[in-house]
Amino acid sequence: MSQPRDDRQDDLFGPSLEKIINLRHPLVRLAAEMDWEFLAGRFGSVRSVASDQVNRRCRLVAGLFILKHMHNLSDEALSERWVENPYFQYFCGEVVFQHAAPFDRSSLTRWRQRLGEEQIAALLQESLSVAHRTGAIESKDLERVVVDTTVQEKAIAHPTDARLTHRAIEKLVALAKREGVELRQSYLRVAKRAAIMVGRYTHAHQFKRARRELKFLRTRLGRIIRDIRRKIQGDSALEDCFGPLLDLAVRVRHQEQRQRGPKVYSLHAPEVECIGKGKARAPYEFGCKVSIATPATAPKGGQFVLHAKALHGNPYDGHTLGPAIADLEKLTGVAVRRVHGDKGYRGHNYPDQFKVWISGQVRRVTKAIRREMRRRAAVEPVIGHLKDDHRMRRNYLKGRDGDRINAVLAAAGFNFSLLLRWLEELLRVLLLILRPGLPPPRLASSGLQKHSSRSTSESFSLGLWVDQLPNQRHRLPQPTSR
């Protein structure tokens, strides 16, 4: 599977991709550093029968997932850019330029559902492994971590009682029409007007009239529910078909605005939770919590995401620390020595409480620990980049499995984008050093500025070291699961 797919017999006169692309491109160097055999073993394990065709597609699928979240692309945009970009094709294992995509945009959905979070986490693990091999991150950076939680919002409209009730009526009527169940009355026209008037009356602060229209909506929804139940009684096939939607409609009809406990905020995504993080601009966010872990140190290649996991049920932040650190140690194979968190982690469930440091803590704080505590806030811009640049701002994947998969893929895409920048800066340093008559470069943002004060011979040694990086195969200590 690690060997690229060779289709040159289909186009004997077509040049290979290696002859038309720049082999010094960071994406080409990243493809050389990737352990495609490891990803093939993890992705191919979901198929009961291993075949050559499945193995050949594993690198294609892994490359597509990386490119999608690295460049913040939808499935449709990814399929279009893949045909136009030869570097995308080379990264996914092609040998000759392809004029048509060998995959359909819906195939990515099927692969995500087939793999699941456990197998897709191999992309995050491989990103850290490549970072370790290329010198972007060291083992000591994995021993001191910062943990924080954020909200991954779902792609739903802002929930209101009137809109949810109206949508329940529309969906029940549409399903009854599709299944051939004839209703006494659909109430579609009057329900639409009532839903509009609830919004208008609320905007005008005429709440008594708004409550009257909302009661009208709930009454009509109850009539439709009872009518459908009478018509499908005794038909097991129709009862199984209408059962989930009827249960959601009953919950929507009886739930109140200020009731405690779980509520329905979306009919197409009933797993959505209402989470309040105390933000002035967004008092409530609708989605699920995500735990993010980054190094407490300053790695040369940037603040990589060491662990990302979606958490359902709106758990308390402190109760997520123990499982998060256990998963992190399993993923990297390195024992965590110190954990830094904000004040939301007070009363945590981590077994070794002396390894956890909370913001504002005074006792047992040394100078080294104080320096690490000041870097706790470095996780905040990482979360911002995950949301704005790598598709964690609004999750479009379905169900709770989609929440977990999207969080891991966003973290992997962020790490691979840092690796691209790291490899590009290494190549720039090498070219500038080997060019005669020019001093070594000064790159303040890359973590390589300490090399600028070296002598000419030392700089030349650095250039040779950088040139040999793709041949080095040092890997992180691997857990037993690999």
Side-chain angles (χ1 to χ4, degrees):
M1 200 290 304
S2 63
Q3 297 297 327
R5 183 175 57 196
D6 194 348
D7 292 336
R8 282 177 287 184
Q9 290 183 355
D10 299 337
D11 189 2
L12 296 177
F13 301 100
S16 63
L17 283 174
E18 293 183 352
K19 296 181 180 179
I20 63 176
I21 64 176
N22 180 14
L23 297 180
R24 293 179 177 177
H25 192 275
L27 204 57
V28 177
R29 295 174 64 89
L30 179 61
E33 283 292 330
M34 295 282 293
D35 188 356
W36 299 107
E37 291 288 349
F38 164 65
L39 295 178
R42 292 290 294 270
F43 283 16
S45 63
V46 300
R47 300 300 294 264
S48 58
V49 179
S51 63
D52 295 337
Q53 182 180 5
V54 173
N55 290 336
R56 285 196 302 267
R57 293 184 66 86
C58 283
R59 174 169 178 175
L60 173 65
V61 173
L64 289 174
F65 284 154
I66 294 171
L67 294 172
K68 170 184 170 66
H69 286 265
M70 193 191 311
H71 298 283
N72 194 10
L73 302 174
S74 63
D75 292 347
E76 295 83 358
L78 176 64
S79 61
E80 294 174 0
R81 284 191 59 178
W82 191 91
V83 177
E84 301 171 354
N85 197 322
Y87 292 98
F88 280 19
Q89 297 187 15
Y90 182 87
F91 184 76
C92 293
E94 299 295 337
V95 175
V96 295
F97 187 82
Q98 302 293 324
H99 299 277
F103 62 94
D104 187 74
R105 61 184 183 181
S106 59
S107 62
L108 293 177
T109 300
R110 291 190 290 270
W111 270 97
R112 280 191 293 259
Q113 294 173 351
R114 186 182 302 124
L115 292 172
E117 179 195 15
E118 183 179 357
Q119 307 303 332
I120 289 181
L123 295 176
L124 180 59
Q125 189 174 11
E126 180 61 20
S127 67
L128 297 176
S129 180
V130 174
H132 188 266
R133 289 198 299 268
T134 57
I137 194 171
E138 300 178 4
S139 298
K140 64 179 182 180
D141 298 322
L142 307 175
E143 299 175 351
R144 301 167 178 84
V145 299
V146 176
V147 183
D148 198 3
T149 60
T150 186
V151 178
Q152 178 180 244
E153 296 187 55
K154 200 77 169 183
I156 65 170
H158 185 79
T160 61
D161 291 336
R163 188 183 184 279
L164 287 173
T165 307
H166 181 224
R167 287 294 296 163
I169 293 175
E170 289 182 333
K171 284 183 173 292
L172 284 175
V173 172
L175 183 59
K177 183 178 180 180
R178 186 165 62 249
E179 297 298 330
V181 177
E182 186 176 356
L183 301 177
R184 294 177 57 190
Q185 190 173 349
S186 65
Y187 303 104
L188 289 179
R189 181 178 59 84
V190 294
K192 180 179 180 180
R193 181 187 178 279
I196 293 174
M197 296 310 296
V198 169
R200 291 182 178 179
Y201 287 143
T202 303
H203 179 71
H205 286 201
Q206 299 176 6
F207 299 111
K208 186 175 180 179
R209 291 179 174 178
R211 286 193 296 269
R212 183 179 62 197
E213 297 293 339
L214 180 59
K215 182 180 179 181
F216 178 88
L217 277 173
R218 286 175 172 167
T219 302
R220 269 58 187 177
L221 177 59
R223 291 181 182 179
I224 293 176
I225 292 174
R226 292 189 296 271
D227 192 12
I228 290 177
R229 284 179 172 173
R230 284 193 299 267
K231 300 293 178 58
I232 67 175
Q233 187 175 8
D235 192 333
S236 59
L238 288 178
E239 288 178 352
D240 294 339
C241 180
F242 280 89
L245 185 55
L246 283 175
D247 294 340
L248 287 176
V250 171
R251 291 176 59 188
V252 168
R253 180 173 180 263
H254 293 288
Q255 68 185 11
E256 298 292 337
Q257 180 180 6
R258 301 186 182 278
Q259 77 176 32
R260 300 185 65 86
K263 294 176 62 177
V264 178
Y265 299 100
S266 175
L267 293 175
H268 74 272
E271 72 277 359
V272 169
E273 302 153 1
C274 180
I275 302 174
K277 299 283 284 186
K279 302 176 183 177
R281 58 175 177 81
Y284 300 102
E285 297 171 290
F286 300 94
C288 68
K289 275 190 178 182
V290 177
S291 176
I292 302 295
T294 62
T297 56
K300 297 178 182 178
Q303 294 296 120
F304 289 88
V305 177
L306 306 180
H307 177 260
K309 188 176 183 63
L311 307 167
H312 295 94
N314 192 11
Y316 171 62
D317 288 359
H319 296 165
T320 67
L321 186 60
I325 298 302
D327 291 345
L328 172 61
E329 293 178 343
K330 180 180 178 181
L331 187 70
T332 61
V334 178
V336 176
R337 295 179 55 185
R338 279 200 288 267
V339 182
H340 296 272
D342 57 15
K343 294 183 179 179
Y345 284 89
R346 289 178 295 190
H348 57 82
N349 61 349
Y350 190 64
D352 195 346
Q353 60 177 350
F354 295 104
K355 291 184 178 180
V356 182
W357 302 86
I358 308 298
S359 297
Q361 185 172 341
V362 178
R363 294 182 178 180
R364 304 183 295 110
V365 176
T366 62
K367 291 184 178 179
I369 296 177
R370 189 175 292 110
R371 285 194 300 268
E372 295 178 3
M373 293 176 68
R374 284 197 295 265
R375 283 197 53 83
R376 191 215 62 82
V379 70
E380 302 298 342
V382 173
I383 293 175
H385 284 295
L386 285 172
K387 289 188 173 184
D388 294 335
D389 303 331
H390 302 283
R391 304 187 67 80
M392 194 185 281
R393 171 71 64 186
R394 194 170 178 87
N395 179 26
Y396 295 90
L397 304 185
K398 184 178 179 180
R400 293 192 171 188
D401 292 337
D403 295 336
R404 292 188 284 264
I405 291 172
N406 190 72
V408 176
L409 286 176
F414 176 79
N415 287 351
F416 281 110
S417 65
L418 292 183
L419 285 172
L420 277 187
R421 187 178 63 182
W422 171 253
L423 295 175
E424 183 179 1
E425 291 183 350
L426 288 182
L427 181 60
R428 188 185 301 117
V429 169
L430 172 64
L431 295 178
L432 292 177
I433 288 176
L434 297 183
R435 184 179 299 177
L438 289 178
R442 300 177 62 87
L443 299 176
S445 62
S446 64
L448 299 176
Q449 67 273 16
K450 61 181 181 180
H451 299 297
S452 61
S453 60
R454 295 186 176 183
S455 61
T456 305
S457 59
E458 292 175 336
S459 300
F460 186 77
S461 301
L462 172 64
L464 295 179
W465 171 75
V466 172
D467 189 53
Q468 295 173 359
L469 275 178
N471 298 325
Q472 295 179 354
R473 308 304 297 176
H474 298 295
R475 178 176 288 276
L476 286 170
Q478 300 303 326
T480 57
S481 62
R482 292 191 56 176

